[in-house]
Each structure stands twice: as C-alpha cells, then as structure tokens.
Amino acid sequence: MPESYEEFRSWSPRQRSGILRGPDGRLRALLYAQQFDRALLEQLVALAERIRSAEPEGAFRAALSRALRGRAAALYFQQPSTRTFVSFSLAAQGIGMVTEEIRSPERASLVKGETTLDTLLTLAELSDCVILRHDDPEAIERFAWEIHDRGLPTRLVNAGSGADQHPTQALLDIATLISRFDLSRTDPPLTVGIVGDLRRARTARSLSYLLALYPTVRQVFIAPPDLAMGRDLVTALEERGVTLVETTEFDAVIEELDAVYLTRMQDEYGETSETVRALFGNYRLSSERAARLRPHACVLHPLPRREELPIELDRDPRTRHWEAVHRGRFLRMALLLHMFGKDTTDLS
Ligand code: NCD
C-alpha cells in the first residue's frame, strides 16, 4: 500500500488500480480505461443492452428505478459538457439516485479561496458518488487518493480528466463497435482507425486502451505529426503486443478501415499553430473519403464535432455517432450499478 500521495502517483496505473477497487473487487473509483478487464467491460455492455431493450413499463425498469434509492450523486463539472453531463445525470436518476451539481465553479466557494480538493471533499462528505470533469488530470488522482487514504465510502467517476482520459465515453464507443463487429476475430483482424488530434483527445486515448483489451484489433493512428498519439500510450500498447500503425496519411489507409473514430481539434489545451490548423483540414471525413470507405464500415465521433464529420453524413447508415450518444445513458447506469454492487440479475 502506498504511504503517501507522492508514492501513489509514482505507481503504474496497473498497480494503482488495486486500491481503486473495493474489498469486493468492484470499481470504487474509475479514473482510467486501463482499470477495465475484458470480463468487466463485456458485463457492463451486456447489462447496458439489457436496460436499453427493457420495456419502459416493465418490471425490470421498475426494479431499476429503485435500485439506488436513497443514494446521491454529485456532479462537479469544471469544463463544459452536454452529453456526458446529461447522460450521467439521467443515468443516476434512472436508477433511483438523487443528483446535485456544480457546473459553474465561479459560483462555488472556490472564489472564496477554497481549493479544488476541499470542494471535492465537501462533495464526498455529502454524497455517495462524485462524478468529476476537470481540466487538470491530477485533480482526480489526488481526490481518489484522499478518498482512499481517509477511508471514505464515496465512489468516484472520471467524466473527463484534461487531455488524459475519458473512460466512460470510451465505454459507449466500444459498446457501439461490439454491437457491430466481433472484436476478437482474427481472419482478417478488425482494423480501427483513430483520427485527428490524438495527442490531446482524451476520448481517443481511453478508447485505444479499451481496444487493447482485444489484442487482435489493429489500431491505426492517423494524425498530423504535431498531434500524434502520446508516446506513453504507444509504448503501453506495444508492450501488450497490440498491432499498431501510425500514419499522417488518412487517404492512404481509408480503404483498410472497418471502423473510423474521428476527433475534433482540442484547441482548449494550449496553442495550436496556424500550420497545424491548416493541416487539420486533411483529417476530416469528406464525402469523397466516405465514398471510399468500406460498405460495412462504422463511423464514430465522441462529439462535439466541427468540420471533421459533416452533418450530411448523419444520413449515411455507416455513421453511428448518434447511436453511441443514445447508448451513453445505459452504459453509465450499468457502471453505477456495478460500483454499488447492484448489477445482479434481480437488482434486489
Ligand atoms: C468529448 C470530451 O469532452 O472529451 N466530449 C464528450 O464527452 N463526448 C470530446 C470533445 O470534447 O472533443
């Protein structure tokens, strides 16, 4: 067991994941995608699908709506959000939780000089689960450590940690892929292209880690040189034996791809030169490119989109980004149920 936050920080994600689980082995704090194994991932995907397809008036939905009655979720979103915030909030309410939120930190006690950590500890004392989006990836690490060190029962979920990770977005993206393809197939292996600002797109990083749970999946990183995927992730994937291709040429690989995951330029994370901005125009799914994409391909985007995924393509049946949005609520319900030990078949 680490003795201090500094020691905790120095541990690898794999080492750290032990203390982010409860004594029953369930996730208590979800910080990054490497905390999932395939069994848990597939269990959550199956439960989400069961919830999604349940009759709205049926007994299962009724049991769900009571599953976490008496529990409270506090959502602290220091960065903007539409889908993640609304789907987490509705997910928590849909399984019986009450929710409270801080979305404008300028109206919280932070302006009186309170630290982010004290604000978060307040939420930990008042609620059963904190759902956190913050531009500093260290905020959630530090908070997770404090929850552990103080022996608090509060659950914690990462809803976006700076340019680092967004594990629940990756969950709904991979669930959409699982609904379309056999990710373990080998002949030929599934090829997934991840495109755009890979250096700073936290959703792309988390998705790549989840895809690595299926080592036969070929991952093709397509980005301008200055926005290439972080070396930390590339090294971690190579160590796991994942087949990885890196290219700057979208057109050179488009016909090989079974799935395409597009991302927008993440220009809130520091300067982006005019040269890079100009180059970024080459990483969009133009209609010419869409015409070259395989007939069975699947196109995803975490949204919000800019010009990389033109709205005209929403009518193309290969684009599944809106379906992924729809899945978000159910995946987040499944995750919360798991964290509170309420994912058993009868939900009792
Ligand atoms: C993403 C995010 O916040 O990282 N949005 C989301 O949660 N679906 C993607 C983005 O902002 O580009």
Side-chain angles (χ1 to χ4, degrees):
M1 281 295 150
E3 303 266 300
S4 65
Y5 173 60
E6 286 64 37
E7 198 182 338
F8 171 72
R9 279 281 289 168
S10 71
W11 283 22
S12 71
R14 200 174 283 266
Q15 287 173 306
R16 263 181 269 165
S17 74
I19 68 167
L20 302 175
R21 285 175 187 270
D24 55 2
R26 289 168 185 280
L27 294 176
R28 282 183 95 86
L30 171 62
L31 271 57
Y32 25 74
Q34 300 95 305
Q35 287 176 258
F36 287 104
D37 56 28
R38 219 157 114 175
L40 176 58
L41 169 68
E42 291 176 1
Q43 199 182 306
L44 295 179
V45 169
L47 177 58
E49 193 50 38
R50 182 162 171 231
I51 301 172
R52 189 166 89 104
S53 54
E55 284 295 323
E57 315 286 329
F60 183 60
R61 278 283 183 101
L64 266 178
S65 68
R66 293 187 299 265
L68 290 184
R69 204 159 51 186
R71 303 269 192 180
L75 291 91
Y76 179 55
F77 277 53
Q78 176 255 19
Q79 290 181 293
S81 176
T82 301
R83 281 152 288 274
T84 307
F85 179 84
V86 174
S87 65
F88 259 122
S89 183
L90 294 178
Q93 293 170 39
I95 52 178
M97 301 178 93
V98 292
T99 61
E100 193 47 271
E101 70 194 56
I102 297 179
R103 295 195 76 178
S104 311
E106 69 276 9
R107 284 200 272 140
S109 286
L110 284 155
V111 291
K112 299 191 228 166
E114 184 160 74
T115 60
T116 298
L117 182 58
D118 276 352
T119 304
L120 292 171
L121 287 169
T122 305
L123 300 183
E125 292 292 343
L126 293 173
S127 71
D128 302 285
C129 179
V130 177
I131 299 166
L132 174 63
R133 170 170 287 198
H134 203 283
D135 66 356
D136 178 3
E138 214 182 312
I140 194 159
E141 301 261 352
R142 178 62 199 253
F143 185 37
W145 163 256
E146 293 293 335
I147 288 177
H148 164 77
D149 195 42
R150 292 165 193 238
L152 297 172
T154 320
R155 311 302 199 269
L156 172 61
V157 186
N158 183 359
S161 49
D164 188 29
Q165 287 236 5
H166 191 348
T168 63
Q169 175 66 40
L171 264 186
L172 58 102
D173 289 323
I174 202 165
T176 311
L177 292 176
I178 289 173
S179 75
R180 295 274 298 107
F181 302 110
D182 170 10
L183 269 57
S184 332
R185 78 180 204 205
T186 49
D187 193 21
L190 195 80
T191 300
V192 180
I194 305 184
V195 190
D197 187 348
L198 306 189
R199 183 160 66 85
R200 302 179 295 186
R202 56 194 177 194
T203 62
R205 291 174 55 82
S206 293
L207 178 61
S208 178
Y209 276 122
L210 288 190
L211 287 170
L213 293 173
Y214 300 83
T216 54
V217 171
R218 279 181 76 224
Q219 299 194 32
V220 183
F221 295 159
I222 306 156
D226 286 355
L227 301 178
M229 185 61 94
R231 294 303 97 184
D232 60 328
L233 187 143
V234 169
T235 309
L237 263 53
E238 280 170 354
E239 279 170 8
R240 290 204 214 165
V242 173
T243 312
L244 210 66
V245 178
E246 289 191 89
T247 179
T248 56
E249 298 294 321
F250 199 176
D251 285 317
V253 293
I254 188 135
E255 282 155 10
E256 300 169 22
L257 307 176
D258 297 298
V260 186
Y261 187 78
L262 299 153
T263 59
R264 73 173 168 93
M265 184 182 288
Q266 308 282 312
D267 35 17
E268 64 268 49
Y269 298 112
E271 282 289 300
T272 311
S273 70
E274 275 316 309
T275 329
V276 174
R277 274 181 197 284
L279 266 179
F280 205 74
N282 297 330
Y283 299 86
R284 61 193 292 264
L285 191 63
S286 57
S287 39
E288 298 73 39
R289 278 204 181 113
R292 292 180 55 211
L293 201 57
R294 293 179 150 183
H296 67 265
C298 174
V299 177
L300 290 171
H301 189 303
L303 304 175
R305 65 176 148 192
R306 293 182 186 163
E307 50 287 333
E308 62 282 343
L309 177 58
I311 192 167
E312 295 72 41
L313 286 177
D314 284 13
R315 292 227 210 93
D316 185 322
R318 295 171 298 180
T319 62
R320 301 277 173 151
H321 49 291
W322 289 114
E323 176 192 322
V325 171
H326 176 72
R327 288 178 185 278
R329 193 168 130 215
F330 306 106
L331 256 320
R332 289 175 171 120
M333 281 181 173
L335 174 69
L336 293 171
L337 289 166
H338 163 77
M339 294 179 90
F340 284 96
K342 290 284 183 181
D343 51 351
T344 48
T345 10
D346 58 358
L347 290 168
S348 57

